[in-house]
Amino acid sequence: MNLKLNSAIAKQYKSNSQKIRVISEYWVKQNGYCPNCGCELSEFENNRPVADFLCQNCREEFELKSKNSKSIGAKIVDGAYDTMIERINSENNPNFFFLTYNKLSLEVTNFLIIPNFYFIPDIIEKRKPLSDNARRAGWVGCNIKLNEVPINGRIYFVKNSVVVERNSVLDNWHKSSFLKKKKGETKGWILDVMNCIDKIKYEEFSLKDVYQFENVLKAKHPNNNFIKDKIRQQLQLLRDKCIIEFLGNGKYKKVNI
């Protein structure tokens, strides 16, 4: 994988935003691949409102977000809030590629994907409406809160300028793909417990460590009066899906991606 961005292909554009869009899309087309099946990606026709890339083999769709930064950061600015929520709840919500690059060296620093089955309304933050003096007064945008996506849902192709092995990318995708069949509250519980586990500082942890998040989970699920039971249920599921490893006697270990 060549991490160098080819600026020559965007010479005809004057706008910097147009230039980086063309350059980054070209890079993904040349170097990226489908994390579901490993096949090459095709570009959609211009101005298609839903996605930028398509895998012709498995029909997965992908949208690309790029920014000049050393790290991916906690949030990514996106478009209209209502449109984003509608897309999350639709059947053809694309997967999101996120690319960061060094503006001076024109090299990719990070390239990762968040699968569409990790997108839930909780990770979409509504921004303040544009002021009355703005051209689109009252328009409401959104941010994607990447820091609220579980670690297993941030699948890197390139991390801190280091290329990740293709087999690892495919394995990491398929490890979480069971979430495709989960909906609504069921998926929310799984992701919430995954986020709690991520917040535990140690690789090995206990059931008691996860119970420390009981109040946090109660606030998110106020109608559930059996929070500890739900925690144990999710830990069993995550163990069965090899997201965590059960060590015995109420002890667990994170399975790093």
Side-chain angles (χ1 to χ4, degrees):
M1 185 178 285
N2 181 7
L3 300 185
K4 193 74 176 178
L5 295 170
N6 184 358
S7 60
I9 64 167
K11 283 183 177 179
Q12 70 271 35
Y13 295 95
K14 294 182 179 179
S15 164
N16 286 331
S17 61
Q18 283 183 316
K19 285 182 178 180
I20 194 57
R21 177 184 60 79
V22 171
I23 292 170
S24 59
E25 287 181 357
Y26 180 82
W27 183 89
V28 172
K29 179 68 165 49
Q30 297 297 312
N31 295 277
Y33 52 88
C34 175
N36 181 49
C37 67
C39 291
E40 293 182 0
L41 302 175
S42 302
E43 286 184 281
F44 274 111
E45 61 273 17
N46 289 335
N47 300 318
R48 190 176 189 275
V50 176
D52 298 313
F53 299 97
L54 170 71
C55 175
Q56 297 285 358
N57 181 55
C58 68
R59 310 305 295 179
E60 289 284 353
E61 298 181 7
F62 307 89
E63 184 170 321
L64 174 65
K65 301 287 182 184
S66 304
K67 70 173 184 177
N68 169 31
S69 176
K70 290 182 179 179
S71 64
I72 198 67
K75 299 178 182 179
I76 290 281
V77 176
D78 200 67
Y81 174 80
D82 289 341
T83 301
M84 187 60 172
I85 296 298
E86 183 180 343
R87 290 174 64 188
I88 286 175
N89 294 323
S90 71
E91 292 298 321
N92 67 333
N93 181 35
N95 307 284
F96 276 79
F97 283 133
F98 296 97
L99 183 151
T100 64
Y101 62 95
N102 184 308
K103 188 176 180 180
L104 296 177
S105 65
L106 278 180
E107 290 183 337
V108 172
T109 51
N110 292 283
F111 180 52
L112 70 150
I113 189 166
I114 296 179
N116 55 16
F117 40 84
Y118 274 94
F119 273 82
I120 57 174
D122 283 358
I123 70 168
I124 306 303
E125 179 181 64
K126 182 184 288 188
R127 300 205 307 269
K128 291 181 180 180
L130 295 182
S131 69
D132 293 339
N133 297 325
R135 184 170 59 86
R136 292 188 292 171
W139 182 84
V140 178
C142 71
N143 298 317
I144 301 171
K145 296 188 287 185
L146 299 181
N147 59 333
E148 295 194 16
V149 177
I151 289 173
N152 286 79
R154 300 173 234 168
I155 301 173
Y156 282 84
F157 295 66
V158 178
K159 187 172 185 179
N160 298 326
S161 301
V162 177
V163 177
V164 178
E165 231 179 86
R166 182 181 290 231
N167 286 342
S168 294
V169 174
L170 298 177
D171 287 346
N172 289 335
W173 172 280
H174 289 293
K175 183 185 293 185
S176 296
S177 61
F178 72 94
L179 286 168
K180 287 184 179 181
K181 298 180 180 179
K182 306 297 182 182
K183 304 292 182 184
E185 186 81 357
T186 301
K187 180 188 285 190
W189 262 106
I190 299 169
L191 297 181
D192 288 340
V193 172
M194 289 176 75
N195 273 322
C196 291
I197 293 170
D198 287 345
K199 289 180 173 66
I200 297 171
K201 295 180 180 180
Y202 308 105
E203 186 176 354
E204 294 186 8
F205 61 95
S206 67
L207 182 59
K208 185 178 178 180
D209 291 327
V210 190
Y211 281 166
Q212 299 300 314
F213 296 93
E214 183 178 3
N215 291 336
V216 174
L217 294 169
K218 180 63 177 177
K220 298 196 77 171
H221 304 274
N223 296 324
N224 192 298
N225 295 318
F226 305 96
I227 301 299
K228 288 183 177 178
D229 292 342
K230 289 296 290 187
I231 288 173
R232 291 195 300 272
Q233 182 187 58
Q234 306 316 310
L235 291 176
Q236 182 175 342
L237 173 66
L238 295 174
R239 178 204 67 188
D240 293 344
K241 299 300 181 181
C242 299
I243 303 295
I244 59 175
E245 180 184 349
F246 181 57
L247 302 176
N249 297 319
K251 299 286 186 179
Y252 299 86
K253 182 179 180 181
K254 300 178 185 180
V255 178
N256 295 325
I257 67 169

